[in-house]
Amino acid sequence: MATHGFRQAFGWSRWVIVPLGIVLALFLLLPIVIIVPTSLTASSFVEFPPSGISGRWYSEFFSDPVWTDALRTSVTIALEATLLATLVGTAAALGLRHLSARPQAARYARSLRTLFILPAIIPLVGYALGLYNVFGFVGGSTSTTPIVVGQAALAFPLVFVTVAAGLARVPPNLTKAAFSLGASWPKVVWRVELPLVVRNIVAGAVFALALAFDEVVIAFFFNSPTNTTLPVELFVTARESVTPIIAAAAVIVMLVALGTVGLAWSVLTLKSRLEGGYR
Amino acid sequence: MSIKGDLQDVCVSLGGTPILHDVSLEIPAGSFLTLLGPSGSGKTTTLNVLAGFVSPQSGHVLFDGEPVDKLPPERRSTGIVFQDYALFPHLTVEQNVEFPLKARRVPRAERLERVNRMLELVQLPGTNGKRITTLSGGQRQRVAVARALVFEPRLLLLDEPLAALDKHLRESMQVELRGLQEQLGITTVAVTHDQAEALVMSDLVAIMRAGAVEQVGTPKEVYKRPRTRFVATFLGEANLLRVDDPLVAALGIGWTAQGGDAEVLLRPEDLRLERPEDAPDRPAFYVRRIEFHGARLRISVNPDIRSSTEDLTVSLEACTDAEAWQVGDRVALACDPRAAHVIDPENAAPPAMVSA
Amino acid sequence: MPLVTLATRAIHDKGASGIGHTLTDPLFEQAVTRTLVLALTVAVICLLLGTLYALALVTAKGPVKALLWGALLVSFWISLLVRTYGWVLLLQPNGVLDKTLRGLGVIHDSLNALQTTPAMYPGMVHIMLPYMVLPIYTSLAALDPSQLRAARSMGAPPLLTFRKVILPQLRPGAIAGAILVFVLSLGFFVTPAFLGGPSKLTVGTIIEREFNSVYDFGAASVMSLALVFVVLAIYLVADRLFRVGEHWTAG
């Protein structure tokens, strides 16, 4: 770890850097610090600090079909989008690895790589609108399909990048060895490359899930009464009214995201501890 | 089961840069051939051509006289031991060694039996369930060898197989690996940049330079009778004298009709030092430098104590007599004229790729 | 593919003159100016704060380090919608900021900070900061500590070490982060929609308004297309020049 070297190098100036860093960290945590207490208020108004503590807004959240339906829609769409993004993203990363291994094709590999990353930086609004046009022509813009496809496309670079990073750490010789030992192409992928990047695939899927679960823009553009996701409901309600139930919904969105990440993280840590770990 | 391998006029270039230039090699059945050369000389590419990872732009690869150019790596049946072993870290020892058998759909019972036999052969019996990460470097090397041999490949390819081991282990593994190869009689091609390893292990050594084979021969041939100046200087230490150098005649070396550009190779161990008063007819030198190498002494001598011309190197057994020499001593140089070898400059027609 | 239909839609609905008309619409021009200023300012602020934060990350130890990492990752993982909503609660009339300032006696009436242009800044910086910190941190982590020791052994004071050894090596990461933040800010929608509101439109929100309230799909398409082109152009040029993609994907 480089910490020691940096501490020495900065000398006294670290007494300025670190406290400023702490201030920034608090700045980063500020909205959360406000939302959580607000959601626990006992009164009917948004108040900070809250007057009294109760879970009233949470029980209201779970008894209102508008919110629970939105939660269910969100979970379904996010899972579907994650599955799609993970499959395609992993396949793209694997394909690119095999393409780069060929000297003649290596220069296309770089362009493809850039192309694969593009969905992450294209302005969402523009992308959503374009998608709307596509599905507008095809018809059926009230189904959840366009949202799933759109969010999957959005999450695809995350999976791709995470899996590609894992594959980059798999020595090319392992693939060569597998081939030389007589394994066919699918066998090399299935028995050697995929097992070595399982953690990256899981991590990529978690990134994708978290992204899809609280994606607003695409879901908003394709919003209809039957496919309102939780973030869209939150967005729409928050634009129109001010009630603590929004804070409660926000906390739930937050907990789902953190819960997914935490769960995946502990599973992966446990797995690597059992296996002795591959670095 | 041993086959002979052939490379015929193989040319390889990557992205316009030529890597191999008309490489032809004959690997006799059951022999151990080592590709030796400086880095960038094309040894590893040659190995990759044999394995099928690199397809040559022209030329052919033949196994037992049959062209295998069209066969992809997974169907060539070559067992490779990689420099970093390339063991699958997510599999156990057994699963690693089993891998090529599984790829060939060998039934489970037979698989197990062959894996166990192989592990015994590499002296790792009973390690089946161990994880690769828990093995030492030497053990990993053995697993890699077992995995490369278990499916009875037609050719065994070793890519700097011992480079990652420390000196002691490397030396004992050289003997062990050679023993295993002889026992199985499998045709083997190894790549190394360690000349001692090449000389110890091989039946044949192919010296490569700038993408071409400079000389193929037994270790003794390439060391004692190098065809070119490059081979002479790359393998061991070489004293090279022009044939018309008066010293050559003075040392009693007769030579045949080569031109004046021919050079005489004298290995340091073929030179002796004598006291000038005992050999007044021998050329006289000064001792300029003495290095102690344990078993041997390396002594630099020059006709002129202040000369800036290159010293000749003499290698002597570090016995009591030899240790009596001091820097500044006057010495007489002697050699066995039969040990001298003349290098014809015609042989050194430089490969096309050597940059001017 | 969606981009293609975007283009055909734009041309189909509007024609050449229509496109020109849409792009010179004063409301759109205002939004463009506002967005550019916003994105640029946010990128610069994030650059400074992000560098500071990354330096603090590598310098701190123990619980402070845990706090810094925790804050970074938590805010990276929590929905930007939720985080933005936190800012709404903070800035809204009678919200936390108002109450605090009133408590301190700085102001008497509500600040009415929400739905103003300045309100977008802290929110945007907050959302974008993690994107900035990670690439810089990656650059810093890749720096060989023995270089720092070498600099020290030659008697370099901390400031010189920073300027001559650390700064040049974190520059690529910093450039990558700044470009990413700038590009993302250009097309951002949620945060400006919440904090800037309907009167302080940015490019992102004006497109949504054309689409959802005015129902002028053609205009929305033209604007989107312009936005997408600008963003792609900036990204591709930057990728060529600084290999932005590689820094970002390493993080």
Side-chain angles (χ1 to χ4, degrees):
Chain A
M1 200 55 218
T3 306
H4 190 63
F6 281 109
R7 291 180 73 83
Q8 286 190 340
F10 290 144
W12 56 267
S13 52
R14 69 171 190 261
W15 298 114
V16 183
I17 293 171
V18 174
L20 283 176
I22 296 176
V23 171
L24 277 179
L26 295 178
F27 168 73
L28 284 178
L29 291 173
L30 189 60
I32 303 157
V33 171
I34 292 169
I35 291 178
V36 177
T38 308
S39 73
L40 290 170
T41 187
S43 84
S44 316
F45 306 102
V46 172
E47 277 182 322
F48 190 93
S51 38
I53 299 237
S54 83
R56 132 169 205 219
W57 292 105
Y58 288 89
S59 51
E60 212 146 298
F61 176 94
F62 283 108
S63 56
D64 184 343
V66 172
W67 288 102
T68 51
D69 282 353
L71 180 59
R72 197 174 310 117
T73 313
S74 258
V75 170
T76 319
I77 291 181
L79 285 177
E80 284 169 3
T82 300
L83 189 68
L84 192 61
T86 307
L87 287 178
V88 182
T90 305
L94 283 168
L96 203 64
R97 174 184 171 89
H98 284 261
L99 200 64
S100 316
R102 284 174 214 193
Q104 304 92 323
R107 60 207 165 99
Y108 302 112
R110 194 176 135 70
S111 316
L112 263 181
R113 197 185 147 79
T114 308
L115 188 70
F116 285 162
I117 295 174
L118 280 186
I121 57 126
I122 286 185
L124 264 180
V125 183
Y127 189 77
L129 196 66
L131 205 63
Y132 186 85
N133 280 334
V134 174
F135 281 96
F137 290 140
V138 181
S141 61
T142 54
S143 80
T144 57
T145 320
I147 308 185
V148 171
V149 172
Q151 294 188 344
L154 207 62
F156 163 83
L158 283 179
V159 180
F160 168 74
V161 162
T162 325
V163 177
L167 281 174
R169 284 207 308 271
V170 175
N173 269 357
L174 285 189
T175 306
K176 276 173 89 175
F179 275 122
S180 78
L181 295 170
S184 56
W185 197 88
K187 229 173 213 146
V188 172
V189 168
W190 185 250
R191 303 243 321 149
V192 177
E193 293 181 334
L194 278 183
L196 288 173
V197 291
V198 173
R199 336 165 105 260
N200 296 80
I201 297 175
V202 174
V206 171
F207 285 128
L209 187 65
L211 182 88
F213 187 75
D214 58 42
E215 198 286 322
V216 203
V217 180
I218 292 177
F220 180 58
F221 270 66
F222 288 96
N223 186 27
S224 76
T226 53
N227 64 12
T228 306
T229 66
L230 187 54
V232 170
E233 187 63 46
L234 206 161
F235 181 68
V236 173
T237 318
R239 266 183 153 184
E240 288 158 1
S241 62
V242 180
T243 128
I245 201 169
I246 302 171
V251 171
I252 286 165
V253 171
M254 187 163 95
L255 287 180
V256 170
L258 288 184
T260 320
V261 174
L263 189 72
W265 192 71
S266 45
V267 166
L268 285 178
T269 320
L270 192 70
K271 189 172 176 294
S272 77
R273 210 165 279 163
L274 289 176
E275 284 180 353
Y278 163 61
R279 287 158 300 272
Chain B
M1 76 179 223
S2 31
I3 63 139
K4 81 186 191 48
D6 274 303
L7 291 180
Q8 294 179 341
D9 305 324
V10 166
C11 296
V12 171
S13 58
L14 288 180
T17 323
I19 308 288
L20 291 184
H21 180 78
D22 273 339
V23 168
S24 294
L25 269 181
E26 242 178 80
I27 311 146
S31 68
F32 192 121
L33 180 140
T34 299
L35 300 167
L36 180 66
S39 47
S41 58
K43 336 178 271 282
T44 301
T45 309
T46 307
L47 206 70
N48 278 328
V49 169
L50 281 167
F53 289 119
V54 172
S55 356
Q57 266 78 42
S58 63
H60 298 287
V61 184
L62 297 101
F63 286 4
D64 247 1
E66 259 176 68
V68 291
D69 304 294
K70 296 274 175 285
L71 284 186
E74 62 268 30
R75 293 181 47 211
R76 283 223 183 162
S77 183
T78 55
I80 308 181
V81 177
F82 292 86
Q83 181 173 3
D84 56 2
Y85 313 136
L87 295 171
F88 306 126
H90 58 299
L91 302 179
T92 61
V93 169
E94 178 180 301
Q95 288 167 328
N96 262 283
V97 181
E98 195 184 26
F99 187 91
L101 300 178
K102 255 191 164 159
R104 288 174 174 71
R105 299 178 202 284
V106 175
R108 168 139 182 94
E110 190 194 334
R111 269 196 330 246
L112 267 187
E113 194 209 306
R114 283 169 75 173
V115 167
N116 286 332
R117 199 170 353 123
M118 213 58 231
L119 285 179
E120 230 155 87
L121 209 56
V122 298
Q123 300 175 23
L124 281 177
T127 52
N128 301 45
K130 283 203 173 165
R131 292 219 151 258
I132 297 303
T133 40
T134 64
L135 300 182
S136 71
Q139 289 172 320
R140 288 182 200 197
Q141 220 269 337
R142 286 156 199 260
V143 176
V145 171
R147 188 181 66 176
L149 286 174
V150 71
F151 61 105
E152 297 177 353
R154 298 201 280 175
L155 221 54
L156 177 63
L157 305 177
L158 309 172
D159 185 5
E160 307 247 3
L162 305 175
L165 303 178
D166 64 55
K167 191 170 180 294
H168 274 287
L169 196 53
R170 190 161 65 225
E171 281 167 4
S172 65
M173 283 305 288
Q174 284 172 5
V175 179
E176 206 176 302
L177 204 54
R178 182 64 220 246
L180 199 61
Q181 187 266 335
E182 281 177 338
Q183 190 183 341
L184 298 174
I186 184 171
T187 314
T188 303
V189 180
V191 158
T192 185
H193 62 260
D194 179 341
Q195 35 161 308
E197 190 174 301
L199 296 180
V200 170
M201 293 180 78
S202 334
D203 296 313
L204 289 172
V205 178
I207 314 281
M208 296 197 68
R209 177 198 189 190
V213 175
E214 193 108 340
Q215 183 175 5
V216 188
T218 64
K220 220 179 207 167
E221 274 169 11
V222 291
Y223 185 77
K224 296 275 187 192
R225 304 264 173 266
R227 280 184 69 239
T228 64
R229 189 174 216 275
F230 172 78
V231 174
T233 49
F234 186 73
L235 276 179
E237 230 177 319
N239 295 305
L240 288 165
L241 296 169
R242 284 171 60 93
V243 280
D244 52 6
D245 191 316
L247 194 57
V248 172
L251 283 167
I253 300 164
W255 45 281
T256 40
Q258 275 99 355
D261 283 342
E263 284 178 302
V264 174
L265 164 69
L266 289 165
R267 292 292 183 193
E269 62 272 21
D270 294 328
L271 292 173
R272 293 188 315 274
L273 298 184
E274 287 173 3
R275 260 194 283 258
E277 51 271 32
D278 294 347
D281 52 332
R282 295 281 182 200
F285 283 78
Y286 286 97
V287 173
R288 295 231 289 189
R289 193 183 154 85
I290 301 178
E291 288 164 24
F292 178 64
H293 285 255
R296 298 195 75 85
L297 293 175
R298 186 177 176 279
I299 300 177
S300 311
V301 296
N302 202 293
D304 178 354
I305 189 117
R306 294 189 202 294
S307 164
S308 57
T309 58
E310 222 173 291
D311 293 338
L312 291 185
T313 307
V314 181
S315 170
L316 300 176
E317 239 175 280
C319 57
T320 328
D321 280 352
E323 281 177 6
W325 297 115
Q326 299 283 319
V327 172
D329 281 354
R330 271 185 75 79
V331 293
L333 197 64
C335 83
D336 181 348
R338 286 172 303 171
H341 168 67
V342 179
I343 298 172
D344 186 346
E346 296 293 305
N347 293 342
M353 294 173 40
V354 178
S355 46
Chain C
M1 187 183 53
L3 299 182
V4 178
T5 63
L6 203 58
T8 52
R9 186 60 171 261
I11 295 162
H12 185 260
D13 279 19
K14 286 280 166 181
S17 65
I19 291 174
H21 203 258
T22 309
L23 293 182
T24 50
D25 177 357
L27 202 59
F28 183 65
E29 282 184 341
Q30 260 178 34
V32 168
T33 318
R34 191 178 287 121
T35 309
L36 280 177
V37 173
L38 175 74
L40 205 59
T41 318
V42 167
V44 171
I45 296 176
C46 280
L47 182 64
L48 297 176
L49 296 184
T51 310
L52 186 70
Y53 201 91
L55 288 174
L57 269 179
V58 292
T59 317
K61 62 173 183 182
V64 177
K65 194 182 187 99
L67 169 75
L68 293 177
W69 269 116
L72 184 67
L73 292 181
V74 162
S75 58
F76 201 56
W77 279 113
I78 288 179
S79 153
L80 60 101
L81 179 66
V82 172
R83 285 188 281 154
T84 308
Y85 186 66
W87 283 101
V88 173
L89 292 181
L90 193 78
L91 297 175
Q92 71 188 351
N94 240 344
V96 182
L97 188 68
D98 275 0
K99 278 190 181 167
T100 314
L101 291 182
R102 227 174 311 166
L104 292 172
V106 179
I107 53 164
H108 300 289
D109 297 324
S110 169
L111 206 55
N112 276 325
L114 200 60
Q115 309 217 328
T116 60
T117 308
M120 291 192 268
Y121 284 87
M124 289 292 285
V125 169
H126 183 251
I127 304 287
M128 294 295 171
L129 194 56
Y131 292 107
M132 194 74 209
V133 176
L134 287 179
I136 298 185
Y137 174 79
T138 315
S139 300
L140 277 178
L143 199 150
D144 181 357
S146 59
Q147 289 183 7
L148 301 179
R149 248 172 272 140
R152 237 170 91 88
S153 72
M154 291 174 238
L159 209 62
L160 186 71
T161 309
F162 180 73
R163 262 197 8 240
K164 293 289 176 188
V165 183
I166 300 177
L167 210 55
Q169 301 196 52
L170 64 74
R171 190 169 299 143
I175 290 174
I179 286 169
L180 188 68
V181 167
F182 179 70
V183 161
L184 287 179
S185 303
L186 281 183
F188 229 60
F189 169 67
V190 176
T191 310
F194 259 151
L195 301 177
S199 59
K200 303 290 179 248
L201 290 170
T202 64
V203 175
T205 47
I206 201 173
I207 292 171
E208 189 265 340
R209 197 186 72 119
E210 294 292 332
F211 174 79
N212 260 348
S213 325
V214 187
Y215 299 110
D216 188 345
F217 292 173
S221 298
V222 172
M223 291 171 181
S224 304
L225 208 57
L227 175 64
V228 169
F229 267 131
V230 169
V231 165
L232 283 188
I234 294 176
Y235 179 78
L236 290 178
V237 168
D239 192 38
R240 259 296 136 76
L241 291 181
F242 307 113
R243 310 199 145 230
V244 173
E246 278 158 40
H247 285 283
W248 184 49
T249 52

